[in-house]
Amino acid sequence: MGEINKVSSFFKHPLSVNSLLTGLVISAFLYTGYAFAHSQTEAESQGRIKALISKTFDQPNLKVQITPIVIEGKVAIADWTQGQKGGRALLRRKHADWEIIACGGAGFKDPSAIASAGISKEIANNITAKLKTAEATLSPQKIKQLDSFDGVVTMRHGMQHGSDSKH
């Protein structure tokens, strides 16, 4: 009986209930704020991806052109051309930042190649389907240029593309 009185007296005391409700509201707000801090719109993600690829691969007189970019959750494929060369970059988002996982060519149109980079089969299937749709409007010459990247180059964090590269 003593325990019931303690519980009922807690709820009768307005300061205790208000403090509890205030604490719950603040906790929910902070949790929601944290979740939104790491979400990005498609346009924000595309802007960050373009900036990253440009920062990594631009040369003084040879800028990288990046289009289209397809995104599936925290994974993206960005088509790029630079002069006569071209290819595709596979990226992954960590918190608010994007990182380049690998660069490749025609192989990145195959879901199994995407999955081999540690991406789930479901996301690999979805993103390659989006890539196919996005590239459907490109000229055959542009597709050939994107497919021309030979093999797959795995990127390490902070790795810069040098002017002596074959790609």
Side-chain angles (χ1 to χ4, degrees):
M1 187 78 162
E3 286 298 313
I4 294 173
N5 286 336
K6 286 181 186 176
V7 171
S8 65
S9 68
F10 174 79
F11 286 107
K12 286 181 184 175
H13 193 282
L15 183 58
S16 297
V17 172
N18 286 340
S19 296
L20 179 63
L21 290 175
T22 301
L24 288 172
V25 169
I26 290 172
S27 295
F29 178 75
L30 291 174
Y31 176 77
T32 304
Y34 175 79
F36 285 124
H38 294 298
S39 65
Q40 291 178 13
T41 66
E42 183 103 359
E44 289 171 327
S45 290
Q46 288 191 5
R48 288 176 187 248
I49 290 167
K50 284 182 179 183
L52 171 64
I53 292 172
S54 291
K55 177 182 153 191
T56 306
F57 297 109
D58 276 355
Q59 296 176 16
N61 296 319
L62 196 57
K63 303 293 183 195
V64 179
Q65 303 300 313
I66 306 141
T67 188
I69 299 171
V70 293
I71 300 170
E72 178 68 22
K74 294 183 178 185
V75 177
I77 299 175
D79 288 0
W80 61 267
T81 56
Q82 186 176 34
Q84 298 302 311
K85 300 173 183 183
R88 295 175 182 87
L90 178 62
L91 302 100
R92 181 182 329 207
R93 192 177 81 185
K94 285 189 172 183
H95 308 291
D97 297 323
W98 287 88
E99 65 178 356
I100 302 170
I101 300 171
C103 289
F108 282 177
K109 296 190 287 188
D110 178 5
S112 63
I114 302 300
S116 70
I119 307 300
S120 77
K121 287 183 181 183
E122 179 183 358
I123 290 175
N125 285 326
N126 292 343
I127 201 161
T128 53
K130 285 182 177 183
L131 183 66
K132 183 177 181 178
T133 300
E135 290 183 350
T137 61
L138 301 178
S139 71
Q141 179 183 359
K142 175 93 178 223
I143 295 294
K144 185 177 179 180
Q145 188 177 11
L146 297 169
D147 289 347
S148 71
F149 192 99
D150 189 27
V152 173
V153 175
T154 303
M155 304 293 286
R156 294 186 315 265
H157 184 68
M159 183 176 172
Q160 293 283 324
H161 177 75
S163 59
D164 59 353
S165 173
K166 296 186 304 184
H167 305 288

